[in-house]
Amino acid sequence: LPMTTSATIRHDTQTEAPQTDLRPVVRDGVSHATMLGFGENYLGAFAIALQGTPLQIGTLAALPPLLGALFQTASVRVIELLHYRRRIIVIGAFLQALLWIPIGLLPFTVVSSPSAVDILITLVSLYFICAGFIAPIWSSLVGDLVPSNARGRFFGRRNTFIGLATFLSMCAGGVILELSRGANLLMFGFQAIFLLAFAARLVSTYWLTRYEDPTYHVLDESRFSFFDF
């Protein structure tokens, strides 16, 4: 993406103030959205293709997001102990990318359909745990990188690119599955789109390594318990 006023924003109004390059934040978002379009949006269809039971498909839809939400609280404790954020985010994103490989190989490594769906639920749960764990850390880091007076403009432009990437990758994934189904190669079609999701998350992980990583600092007034809230 070209350099724009929303991609490079000053921390203050002085001429000599350092600039924060926010292009990696945009490019990471587009790559992550591509992963969602090719991969996450088709997990339910994959479970159906594996002949999952209604209970298994319901569990796949409900349990992984719940676990991901629960692990968000753990990540806050981790950054308070380690005081760095980018490294944690990169590790979590890389692990999330790797999980697409066994997901894509499931139809070719597990003979029993019920067992395959149970393993899928486990792998997707780990995937959402990684996502949930790094989400608050990413929000904290980006909150420090993007000045408050520019967040509306910046995230508005970023979300435009993200929406487009999600739409195009989801359509492309649907075309791949339709063509593979017509050729009686549906499982190879799922393997293809999940490998594309893996590649997209790897690209996203690369852009995460390009983030600036300012020192983590929490103001005393920001420390309060749930009951205080």
Side-chain angles (χ1 to χ4, degrees), residues 8 114 210:
T8 303
R210 309 299 295 176

Side-chain angles (χ1 to χ4, degrees), residues 38-39 42-43 46 100 103-104 189-199:
F38 277 121
Y42 287 105
L43 288 172
F46 186 45
W100 286 113
I103 290 174
F190 277 111
Q191 185 182 47
I193 64 172
F194 292 153
L195 287 178
L196 287 170
F198 162 73

